[in-house]
Structure formats: structure tokens, C-alpha cells
Amino acid sequence: MIQDSSELSTGAVLKADVCIVGGGPAGISIARALAGSGKKVLLLESGGRDVEGASQALAGATQDVGYDRLSSNRLRRLGGTTGHWAGQSIPLDPIDLRARDWVPGSGWPIPYSELERWLPAAVDACGLGAEPFTWEAWSGAVRLPDALPFSDRIVVQPLRFSTPPRDFGKHFGAELGAKEDVQVVLHASVTHLETGKEGVRVARAHVRGAGDRTLKVEAKTFVLATGALENSRLLLLSQAATGKPFGNTHDLVGRYVMEHPNFDADRVMLTRHDAAGLLRKPGRRVQKTRLRFDLRLSDAEQERLKILNHSMFLTDLDRSSATDGAVKALLEAEGVASKDAALAVRFRLEHAPYAESRVTLGTAKDAHGSPQLHLHYAFGDLEGQTLAALEEALAAELGRVGLGRVRIEARPLRAWEKKAGWQDHHLGGTRMSADPTTGVVDPDCRVHGMQNLYCAGSSVFPTGGHANPTLNLVAMSLRLADHLRSQP
């Protein structure tokens, strides 16, 4: 059932087997997967069914990196940020989970097969259809050439969009409301967690509800699914309130947060348009699926060049249209691309994990009197080196096959940071590691040092590749739910 905290009396104590904090795609996925398992599930959502001013104000935060959208790119409502995403999806690449000696801090403690196992169910949950994310699966359907003009240095990857974009709150709300063993409480904001005397088990969650109600939740297991940044904040708030570490024995909670910066660079002058539509404009539909084809350098090239993962596509030089996703075709099957068409290249970068890139508790406070989070994104030389290598590789490849020319801008290695755009993808902060000295959660996503506390969502990602996080965090959430089903 779904109810509002206004229906509960102040001081009420709610009890469950599994308490999930956060009603976004991660929390909803876990709740759905646990339904019928014999466990009573309680899902707490800070907001209501839609975006509301008072609830959204609780997402306020401070930052010092020119990143000013923290109060709007994270939605406090049932369904979370699926309320405004475009549905753009692609799985992480196998290289993203590998330990790469040129990317400090890289390497997941689970094999790619563990993510891959849950991707089909995540694809279904995200409304993407069943077809795989491969060139071969789509080239025939959109009348693209069997043989690409590029060398094997270049990989073409289809990104898929759910049509319409799936809002988890609206799409799964009725289903959750009908589950007898799932209780959803709206307008229920967890302010901190409390442990027992030993400090190794969460005993209860302290909650502020509608009308300034105070509530408590007691559960056998607690799962934080409040988003990458807020998961870190809630652990830090709990540490500040109780003096217990909450996974922070080694000062790692909130560290290694990442984004997906983008950067528009270079001018491409296309001189050929007879290779039958290598890339298509956004909005290209095959049955009910909308596609975009992006380029990246192969795993072997990334290793040879010692660069981060990435994607790149051509975009209109008009930046206002570019932000709406107006991607120009590199070549059209019908040959409609104008000769010497001038385009820009948009690069979407993996953000390497840096310890100094972090969430801390700030000095400003929210309406409940809790410190807001403060965000600092840090970059190193690796991102700039990746951009420089990509520009040279793209110019060489287009020239080699005679498709066009690229004008490369000369700039200092770190100058791109001042012109960076953002994908509004938050990752890291409670990174996964088998070793508590290098991560916050273990391979099962259980907080190190805590027996019954887990983190869900992209906060557990040790690295983030270039892929949009929603599909991948849903897959990882389903994996966590499977683990929780087996717990007493």
C-alpha cells in the first residue's frame, strides 16, 4: 500500500523486515523484487508523488565547482530522477569493471558477468525492449552498412531511449500500492540512523514526516537508496548524530564521487556523404525504439593510449540546440548531409575516481535542521589527456577514410574544465571494495563494519565509465535484492 506520513501519528514506530530509504529507481526496483519473498518491506520516500517545493528544497546543497544544479537535478518524489530523464540507456562496458593500471582506483570486486546477469531484467524495467546493445542487432533494421568504413580502432555503440521515458513512480506506483507486503510512506525523510550499543547493527531510523511529525522505523535490514550524493550524506549525518563510524572508519564515505563531464570541441568539416548513414540523428526509430549511435575507441586503443572510457558524437555548432540533443548525422543513407557541413564534436568522458572528489557536510542546514551536503568535484590530468588523444584519433580516422577534416584547438591540458558541461549523473561516494580500507561497501553492497546496512544505486560504483547510470544501477539493485531475499 501507499500512504502519506500525514496519516500517521507523531511518535509512531513502523516495523519491517527490510526498510528501503529512497523511492527512486533503485529503491523501487528492490521493493518490487522483494515483493512476495515473505519479507515485509517498508519504502520511505522523502517527497510525494510529484515534485513539490517544500520537499524539493530538502535537496539543497552547496558546491565549489561551478556546478549549480544540485537542487534541481535530483528530484525528491516517488520515482526520483526518472521523473525528468530522457530514458537514454547503455550498459557499462566490460573494461569499466576491469582494474586498469593507468586508472588509479579502478577495478570492481565483482566480474562483469555479475552485472550482465541482471541487465535483461533491468532493460525490461526501464522499458527498453529486448534487443541487445550491439551494432549487429540494429544495422540491418535501420539499413546501415554491414561493413563500417572505420578501422577496428573505432567501436560504434547504439544508445537506446525508452519511449516514452519511463517514470518509475508513475509506471510502478499502482503495482506497489497493490502489494500487501510492501508499504510505501511518502513525505518521510530519514534524518539519521541509530545503532545498538555494539555499533555494528542499525537499530532504527529517525524520520521527519508531514506536519513536523517525528517517526521511527525498526527493521532487520536497512537499505540506503537515496542517490549517490545523499547516500553519502545520510551516512555522514548518522555518524555525526551518534558518534559511530557508519562505514567511515577509514574516512572513505563521500570520497571518490564522480560525474560524466562533457565537452564540445573541434570543428569537423564533412567532405563525403556516400557511406550510407553511419550515424543517425536522435529520434531515429526502429519499431518502438529510439536510437543514437555513438563512437568510442576500442578497449585495446584505450589501453594503448592510457586513456579513460568515453563516447563521442557530432553535434550542431549551435550550443542551444546541442543541449536539446540535436546531433547531426555524420553521413546519411540518402546523402542529405550538406557538403563541407560544419559540426562540433561532443565528448562524454569517464571521470576518474579521485579521493579529493567528495561529499562532505556543509554549514548550511535544511528545514529539518540537518546539514546540507557540500560537493567538490576534482579532476586530474587524465581527463585532459583523454580529450587530447580522442581529438587526434578522430581526426586521423576521418582523414584516413576520406570523410572529412577536423580542426583541433590548441589549449592547456586542464583548460577544458572551465567549459565543461555536465550529464547530471552522480556516481560513487560509497564505493564497492572487498577491502574496507579502500571502499565503503563490500561486494554484496553491505556497509563495511555493519551487519544489516546496505547501499544501493550508483553510489557503490568504483568507476563509472561513460554509460548513463540508471540502467546499470537498476541491474545492480536487482542483484542486491536477490542477495537480500536469501538473508534471514
Side-chain angles (χ1 to χ4, degrees), residues 29-30 33 118 121-122 125 473-483:
S29 296
I30 295 171
W118 298 102
L473 71 85
V474 168
M476 289 295 293
S477 297
L478 294 174
R479 176 180 179 271
L480 172 56
D482 183 65
H483 171 75

Side-chain angles (χ1 to χ4, degrees), residues 67-91:
Y67 187 84
D68 58 358
R69 301 194 293 270
L70 288 170
S71 61
S72 60
N73 60 16
R74 303 171 301 140
L75 300 184
R76 293 214 174 196
R77 38 86 72 186
L78 189 64
T81 54
T82 61
H84 65 192
W85 77 318
Q88 180 172 295
S89 302
I90 190 171

Side-chain angles (χ1 to χ4, degrees), residues 144-384:
L144 297 177
D146 293 331
L148 302 177
F150 292 143
S151 71
D152 58 7
R153 298 176 66 198
I154 299 287
V155 176
V156 182
Q157 292 183 310
L159 287 85
R160 285 160 46 196
F161 298 73
S162 56
T163 308
R166 178 156 291 180
D167 182 327
F168 274 51
K170 296 185 184 303
H171 189 83
F172 296 117
E175 176 187 328
L176 292 173
K179 301 292 186 184
E180 294 183 358
D181 53 354
V182 176
Q183 179 184 10
V184 179
V185 180
L186 304 176
H187 298 110
S189 301
V190 175
T191 58
H192 70 278
L193 305 173
E194 178 187 347
T195 69
K197 291 182 179 180
E198 301 83 0
V200 296
R201 291 186 63 85
V202 176
R204 61 191 57 85
H206 293 260
V207 182
R208 296 290 291 273
D212 218 25
R213 288 168 173 77
T214 58
L215 311 169
K216 293 180 181 179
V217 173
E218 296 177 353
K220 295 178 181 178
T221 300
F222 289 84
V223 179
L224 304 188
T226 60
L229 305 184
E230 291 292 338
N231 275 0
S232 293
R233 177 186 179 228
L234 188 48
L235 290 175
L236 293 172
L237 287 173
S238 300
Q239 180 182 13
T242 66
K244 305 297 184 182
F246 283 91
N248 205 27
T249 301
H250 300 282
D251 189 28
L252 293 175
V253 170
R255 292 189 182 273
Y256 302 100
V257 293
M258 300 165 287
E259 237 272 20
H260 285 143
N262 61 59
F263 185 72
D264 289 355
D266 308 335
R267 177 169 296 190
V268 176
M269 304 298 292
L270 296 181
T271 55
R272 273 184 52 195
H273 43 85
D274 59 348
L278 178 56
L279 297 185
R280 309 296 282 182
K281 295 179 181 179
R284 177 69 174 176
R285 293 178 185 269
V286 180
Q287 298 175 353
K288 296 182 179 180
T289 300
R290 186 159 64 94
L291 300 169
R292 189 181 80 222
F293 292 102
D294 281 12
L295 306 177
R296 73 176 182 92
L297 296 190
S298 68
D299 294 359
E301 277 297 287
Q302 291 184 40
E303 183 168 4
R304 185 181 72 84
L305 296 170
K306 307 300 182 187
I307 61 173
L308 295 162
N309 207 351
H310 57 274
S311 64
M312 49 187 167
F313 58 85
L314 301 185
T315 184
D316 200 321
L317 287 171
D318 181 353
R319 295 304 188 268
S320 63
S321 64
T323 58
D324 290 332
V327 181
K328 289 291 187 181
L330 175 58
L331 295 170
E332 295 282 358
E334 297 77 16
V336 297
S338 61
K339 186 177 182 180
D340 293 329
L343 305 172
V345 185
R346 172 161 293 181
F347 298 98
R348 304 197 318 160
L349 294 181
E350 176 182 8
H351 183 182
Y354 300 106
E356 61 270 28
S357 189
R358 68 185 303 194
V359 167
T360 55
L361 296 181
T363 57
K365 295 187 176 182
D366 65 18
H368 298 319
S370 299
Q372 293 180 342
L373 67 85
H374 180 79
L375 175 65
H376 172 71
Y377 277 139
F379 295 97
D381 289 345
L382 194 52
E383 287 79 13

